[in-house]
């Protein structure tokens, strides 16, 4: 029996999206009679009815390609049920276009926001399968998301390169990595790059503890220090504030970037020269690493199997060595923060890496 599969990518892009799209398409073509409809620009394309019938050749030569051949956009979940000035009921539009395309199911590749909308559409009666992507690795229920390992590779390379210049100039280098509200990327890249301190949003830091790291290293003749800080990190005082309050305070201080604030504070507290490095979207760009190509392909194949069985309302996940699926309603809106007793945090501590927390 023929199945018509819609596919879209939503939210921030990441390496591995095209590998996953290819995985779904090739496995579907192999397993059953499939028509694939590509929806352009994420949920916006579903709302506006921007889609195209894909042919097999469009899934060739995309395994190693960064970004997404379908395009993406951020359409916040909180706005989905809001009817704006244009009077468009977005949810109704998405349901109408799903019907207009004659879809048997819709595969949505995305992060937390994408999964919340996917769950809502599933509740509305559409057949949905999610695939978890993000460099932040913050989707509940999966050990890893695709895109994460590539970002770790890139961030590690940044730390490696900063190491040599830090040593030459006897400087304190503060490297700010992405991750939104979570510290997974910084934790892994920090360990891989041999950072001396790793500062995470989930474990608010005390700047005096960070300063101690530099002093300790200086006392044993080490002339430079590498600090990996997650973009969402905050100090103990800020952690007690509401988000808005914190943003206002930072704006007043003229320091919205955590790395710039830390570098400035350390220069004031100690006799050191400090520089900041913010690689930004470089961490999301370019070709996926081998791990992500494999994971994306495995996720794509699993999605095709689910379609073949008619199992919907789920998202694909990695659990240990196995590819499994979780109910969308169980994972949508649930966070996956780094916890203080996570084994990677323990690994960092066992290596003498400071997390900037008193008593570590
Ligand atoms: O979620 C992925 C991510 O790269 C985060 O790490 C980062 O905070 C955010 O997206 C950046 O978003 P944008 O690309 O919209 O600037």
């Amino acid at each position: 029996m023929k199945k018509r599969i819609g596919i879209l990518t939503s939210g921030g892009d990441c390496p591995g999206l095209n590998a996953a799209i290819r995985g779904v398409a090739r496995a579907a073509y192999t397993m059953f009679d499939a028509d694939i409809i590509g929806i352009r620009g994420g949920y916006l394309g579903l709302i506006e009815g921007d889609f195209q019938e894909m042919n097999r050749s469009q899934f060739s030569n995309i395994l190693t390609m960064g970004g997404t051949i379908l395009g993406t956009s951020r359409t916040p979940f909180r706005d989905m049920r809001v009817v704006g000035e244009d009077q468009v009921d977005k949810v109704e539009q998405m349901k109408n276009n799903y019907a207009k395309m004659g879809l048997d199911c819709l595969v949505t590749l995305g992060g937390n926001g994408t999964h919340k909308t996917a769950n809502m559409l599933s509740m509305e009666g559409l057949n949905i399968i999610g695939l978890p992507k993000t460099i932040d690795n913050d989707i509940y229920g999966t050990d890893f998301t695709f895109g994460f390992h590539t970002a770790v590779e890139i961030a590690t390379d940044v730390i490696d390169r900063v190491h040599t210049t830090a040593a030459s100039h006897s400087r304190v280098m503060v490297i700010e990595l992405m991750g939104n509200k979570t510290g997974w990327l910084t934790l892994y890249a920090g360990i891989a790059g041999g950072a001396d301190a790793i500062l995470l949003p989930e474990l608010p830091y005390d700047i005096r503890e960070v300063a101690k790291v530099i002093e300790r290293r200086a006392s044993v003749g080490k002339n430079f220090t590498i600090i990996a800080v997650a973009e969402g990190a905050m100090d103990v005082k800020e952690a007690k504030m509401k988000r808005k309050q914190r943003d206002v305070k930072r704006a007043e201080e003229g320091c919205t970037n955590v790395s710039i604030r830390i570098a400035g504070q350390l220069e004031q507290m100690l006799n050191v020269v400090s520089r900041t490095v913010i690689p930004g979207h470089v961490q999301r760009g370019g070709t996926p690493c081998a791990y992500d190509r494999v994971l994306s392909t495995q996720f794509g194949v699993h999605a095709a199997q689910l379609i073949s069985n008619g199992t919907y309302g789920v998202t694909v996940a990695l659990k240990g060595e196995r590819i499994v699926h979780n109910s969308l309603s169980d994972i949508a809106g649930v966070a996956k923060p780094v916890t203080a007793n996570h084994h990677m945090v323990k690994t960092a501590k066992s290596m003498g890496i400071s997390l900037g927390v008193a008593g570590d």
Side-chain angles (χ1 to χ4, degrees):
M1 196 183 128
K2 191 180 269 296
K3 301 242 187 194
R4 281 178 68 77
I5 305 165
I7 186 160
L8 63 79
T9 53
S10 176
D13 71 347
C14 74
L17 279 168
N18 289 323
I21 292 169
R22 172 182 174 270
V24 175
R26 283 189 52 160
Y29 288 139
T30 307
M31 286 179 203
F32 47 86
D33 189 9
D35 278 344
I36 300 185
I37 292 89
I39 296 155
R40 280 185 286 253
Y43 287 120
L44 202 58
L46 186 59
I47 295 165
E48 294 177 349
D50 185 4
F51 53 84
Q52 68 166 131
E53 298 269 346
M54 308 285 283
N55 57 58
R56 281 175 190 239
S57 67
Q58 287 175 286
F59 302 107
S60 289
N61 290 322
I62 62 168
L63 173 64
T64 61
M65 201 188 278
T68 160
I69 58 165
L70 296 173
T72 187
S73 62
R74 292 194 187 277
T75 320
F77 171 70
R78 63 173 178 276
D79 294 344
M80 284 297 186
R81 289 204 184 269
V82 178
V83 177
E85 279 173 13
D86 55 9
Q87 299 302 313
V88 172
D89 183 329
K90 300 179 202 61
V91 179
E92 278 312 304
Q93 282 287 99
M94 288 194 278
K95 286 162 68 177
N96 290 343
N97 282 321
Y98 179 97
K100 203 190 275 178
M101 286 183 270
L103 297 184
D104 292 296
C105 67
L106 173 65
V107 182
T108 61
L109 287 68
N112 276 318
T114 302
H115 278 80
K116 283 195 236 175
T117 299
N119 183 43
M120 185 252 291
L121 292 176
S122 172
M123 301 293 204
E124 290 284 334
L126 308 193
N127 292 331
I128 308 286
I129 295 174
L131 291 192
K133 67 87 219 185
T134 165
I135 65 164
D136 304 339
N137 196 38
D138 59 350
I139 299 183
Y140 182 76
T142 186
D143 292 350
F144 291 113
T145 53
F146 62 85
F148 174 67
H149 280 85
T150 307
V152 170
E153 293 284 340
I154 298 167
T156 302
D157 185 50
V158 170
I159 298 175
D160 289 348
R161 286 170 192 279
V162 166
H163 243 110
T164 58
T165 171
S168 307
H169 286 268
S170 304
R171 283 172 173 163
V172 173
M173 301 299 281
V174 188
I175 304 156
E176 179 175 322
L177 301 173
M178 276 188 169
N180 197 11
K181 294 177 193 155
T182 54
W184 296 110
L185 176 55
T186 305
L187 180 57
Y188 274 73
I191 291 173
D196 305 300
I198 295 178
L199 309 179
L200 309 175
E202 296 90 339
L203 306 174
Y205 64 87
D206 181 335
I207 195 69
R208 290 168 303 185
E209 294 298 318
V210 184
K212 276 187 204 164
V213 177
I214 299 162
E215 288 173 328
R216 247 191 332 260
R217 284 176 59 77
S219 72
V220 292
K222 298 200 170 153
N223 65 338
F224 71 93
T225 297
I226 303 288
I227 300 167
V229 57
E231 62 180 353
M234 57 193 91
D235 67 26
V236 278
K237 276 194 207 135
E238 289 180 318
K240 292 187 185 125
M241 297 176 185
K242 294 237 161 62
R243 171 109 190 235
K244 278 208 177 126
Q245 213 184 344
R246 198 161 57 228
D247 289 349
V248 169
K249 178 179 166 272
R250 287 180 180 187
E252 280 169 3
E253 288 170 1
C255 257
T256 42
N257 278 93
V258 64
S259 55
I260 297 173
R261 204 164 56 250
I262 290 172
Q265 284 173 317
L266 293 173
E267 282 193 343
Q268 273 181 6
M269 293 167 79
L270 307 165
N271 183 26
V272 292
V273 175
S274 187
R275 293 284 189 273
T276 56
V277 178
I278 307 177
H281 289 77
V282 165
Q283 294 160 96
R284 262 175 34 196
T287 188
C289 66
Y291 181 96
D292 278 333
R293 292 181 205 180
V294 173
L295 187 64
S296 301
T297 303
Q298 288 178 296
F299 279 2
V301 169
H302 193 89
Q305 281 159 350
L306 292 169
I307 298 167
S308 162
N309 300 336
T311 305
Y312 301 118
V314 294
T315 189
V316 181
L318 175 73
K319 273 279 164 68
E321 293 273 298
R322 292 190 321 121
I323 308 295
V324 297
H325 49 272
N326 296 314
S327 161
L328 278 171
S329 57
D330 286 347
I331 67 103
V334 187
K336 191 182 83 169
V338 176
T339 53
N341 60 0
H342 189 273
H343 65 90
M344 290 301 286
V345 171
K346 288 183 184 162
T347 300
K349 284 187 188 170
S350 303
M351 292 297 290
I353 300 171
S354 170
L355 297 163
V357 176
D360 271 355

